[in-house]
């Protein structure tokens, strides 16, 4: 495997270096009126190469014009200040495209873009499952997409402090808005029958179901499977961890600090005590992910 590009391992302003991919199609209705036309739409994903922050846009098709419109919206929401500082005024989208340096994957080599391939997979696969056979309106689909963007930008990256009493972590949201991204508290309706929900509750249910699916998968990807076949460093007192908690509401990560370890006769720690904001719990290490996450080998 080749080394990571320099812009993946050096500090930059968010979205200074961006990867982009499409996902879909998804079926949506133009409006909520009876006999509304059903159309196809796609998701355009922009991902920051430095901090993995995600930006999602809905596009009507895969044409050049649709891409330029999505790029213009992305620039207006995420990159306008950077471009303004670079060129003294916000350029037109055409001038902006000329200003950019473009890098394209060779044909039949999707693994060259692992970071955005993983990003669009996180969005697309679970989104299709939680929507199911429902056909949302364009406005409902847009609302759900932005909520999912918030979920992806809430994921923990690394502790903000070595203080054992500090449970705060750095997330992509810190680089975008200067603080963690939180969702509005809502009752759990994931087990309610769809025919008992109104349209807004349907969006809430899709949002909550997506969170449960994606957060479980995300934590699994952080636990390298190779740890079962070779020795891995033991958790130590003071380590910050993510505690697997499938019932947590969207964007709420159960974080904790290891307060006690229980090594077994072979000197491998398989159980620890973790202090969270809800108290101290004893948990197996397979339900914990140490922060910062060590890269897989």
């Amino acid at each position: 495997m080749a080394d990571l590009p320099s812009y993946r391992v050096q500090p930059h302003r968010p979205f200074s270096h961006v990867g982009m991919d499409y996902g879909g199609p998804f079926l949506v209705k133009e409006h909520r009126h009876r006999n509304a036309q059903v159309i196809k739409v796609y998701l355009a994903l922009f991902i920051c190469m430095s901090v993995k922050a995600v930006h999602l846009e809905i596009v009507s098709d895969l044409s050049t014009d649709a891409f330029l419109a999505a790029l213009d919206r992305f620039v207006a929401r995420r990159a306008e200040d950077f471009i303004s500082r670079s060129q003294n005024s916000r350029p037109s989208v055409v001038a902006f495209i000329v200003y950019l340096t473009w890098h394209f994957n060779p044909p039949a080599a999707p693994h060259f873009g692992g970071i955005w391939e993983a990003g669009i997979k996180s969005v697309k696969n679970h989104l299709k499952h939680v929507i199911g056979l429902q056909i949302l309106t364009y406005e409902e689909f847009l609302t759900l997409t932005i909520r999912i963007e918030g979920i992806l930008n809430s994921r923990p990256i690394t502790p903000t402090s070595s203080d054992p009493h500090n449970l705060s972590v750095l997330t992509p949201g810190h680089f975008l808005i200067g603080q963690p991204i939180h969702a509005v508290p809502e009752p759990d309706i994931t087990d309610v029958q769809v025919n008992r929900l109104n349209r807004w509750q349907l969006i809430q249910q899709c949002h909550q179901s997506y969170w449960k699916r994606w957060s479980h998968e995300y934590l699994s990807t952080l636990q390298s499977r190779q740890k079962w076949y070779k020795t891995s460093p033991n958790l130590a007192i003071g380590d910050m961890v993510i505690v697997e908690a499938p019932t947590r509401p969207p964007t709420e990560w159960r974080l904790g600090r290891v307060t006690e370890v229980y090594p077994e006769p072979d000197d491998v720690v398989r159980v620890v005590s973790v202090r969270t904001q809800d108290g101290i719990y004893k948990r197996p290490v397979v339900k914990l992910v140490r922060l910062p996450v060590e890269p897989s080998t």
Side-chain angles (χ1 to χ4, degrees), residues 10 12 22 27 49 97 102 109 113-114 121 135 150 167-169 176 197 200 206 219 233 242 250 267 288 290:
Q10 295 177 355
H12 297 96
Y22 276 100
L27 297 179
M49 304 294 281
I97 290 174
W102 295 84
K121 177 184 176 182
I135 298 181
L167 297 181
S168 61
V169 295
L176 300 179
L197 301 174
W200 175 244
C206 290
L219 292 182
I242 309 174
D267 293 328
L288 307 173
R290 189 203 319 251

Side-chain angles (χ1 to χ4, degrees), residues 42-54:
Y42 298 82
L43 284 179
L45 175 138
F46 299 85
I47 185 166
C48 174
M49 304 294 281
S50 298
V51 301
K52 295 185 179 180
V54 169

Side-chain angles (χ1 to χ4, degrees), residues 11-80:
H12 297 96
R13 185 184 182 278
F15 297 112
S16 297
H17 299 273
V18 177
M20 191 267 176
D21 198 6
Y22 276 100
F26 299 90
L27 297 179
V28 300
K29 294 187 293 188
E30 291 184 329
H31 47 74
R32 292 182 59 181
H33 298 163
R34 183 177 298 179
N35 299 325
Q37 183 179 359
V38 177
I39 60 175
K40 289 182 179 180
V41 296
Y42 298 82
L43 284 179
L45 175 138
F46 299 85
I47 185 166
C48 174
M49 304 294 281
S50 298
V51 301
K52 295 185 179 180
V54 169
H55 176 95
L56 297 175
E57 289 287 346
I58 300 176
V59 294
S60 57
D61 53 53
L62 302 179
S63 66
T64 301
D65 288 342
F67 167 73
L68 294 179
L71 180 62
D72 199 26
R73 295 193 298 272
F74 164 70
V75 172
R77 289 174 56 193
R78 300 296 190 188
E80 183 173 17

Side-chain angles (χ1 to χ4, degrees), residues 78-293:
R78 300 296 190 188
E80 183 173 17
D81 292 342
F82 170 72
I83 299 302
S84 297
R85 287 198 299 268
S86 301
Q87 296 188 333
N88 300 322
S89 62
R90 182 171 180 263
S92 67
V93 67
V94 175
F96 176 57
I97 290 174
V98 174
Y99 171 79
L100 293 177
T101 300
W102 295 84
H103 299 276
F104 297 95
N105 287 348
H111 60 283
F112 273 57
I115 185 172
W116 53 83
E117 293 287 350
I120 201 65
K121 177 184 176 182
S122 295
V123 177
K124 179 179 64 176
N125 289 0
H126 297 310
L127 183 56
K128 287 191 173 182
H129 282 96
V130 300
I131 293 178
L133 300 178
Q134 297 291 327
I135 298 181
L136 306 178
T137 66
Y138 181 89
E139 183 179 16
E140 291 167 344
F141 187 72
L142 176 62
T143 300
L144 181 58
T145 298
I146 299 305
R147 281 182 163 222
I148 288 174
E149 180 185 286
I151 287 178
L152 298 178
N153 288 331
S154 76
R155 60 192 185 274
I157 298 176
T158 189
T160 59
S161 169
S162 59
D163 183 355
H165 299 287
N166 187 345
L167 297 181
S168 61
V169 295
L170 198 64
T171 71
H174 283 85
F175 296 93
L176 300 179
I177 63 174
Q179 62 185 21
I181 294 176
H182 296 293
V184 177
E186 297 171 335
D188 187 358
I189 57 175
T190 51
D191 295 327
V192 179
Q193 294 293 325
V194 172
N195 58 10
R196 296 176 55 193
L197 301 174
N198 60 36
R199 299 298 296 185
W200 175 244
Q201 290 174 328
L202 176 63
I203 302 303
Q204 292 177 327
Q205 187 184 71
C206 290
H207 179 219
Q208 294 170 0
S209 298
Y210 178 91
W211 161 256
K212 289 188 176 182
R213 287 173 176 267
W214 178 81
S215 61
H216 183 268
E217 179 191 78
Y218 176 65
L219 292 182
S220 298
T221 62
L222 298 183
Q223 292 279 27
S224 173
R225 292 184 62 187
Q226 296 171 345
K227 69 189 288 293
W228 301 110
Y229 304 109
K230 66 178 183 180
T231 302
S232 298
N234 287 325
L235 288 177
I237 294 175
D239 282 351
M240 190 168 195
V241 294
I242 309 174
V243 183
E244 184 176 324
T247 59
R248 303 294 283 187
T251 74
E252 292 294 329
W253 301 87
R254 175 168 287 180
L255 304 170
R257 292 277 185 177
V258 176
T259 60
E260 192 170 356
V261 297
Y262 306 96
E264 298 188 2
D266 57 0
D267 293 328
V268 175
V269 174
R270 297 183 174 90
V271 179
V272 299
S273 290
V274 181
R275 180 177 57 80
T276 71
Q277 62 182 5
D278 302 320
I280 297 178
Y281 301 92
K282 185 178 288 188
R283 290 290 185 271
V285 298
V286 295
K287 298 295 184 180
L288 307 173
V289 178
R290 189 203 319 251
L291 290 176
V293 178

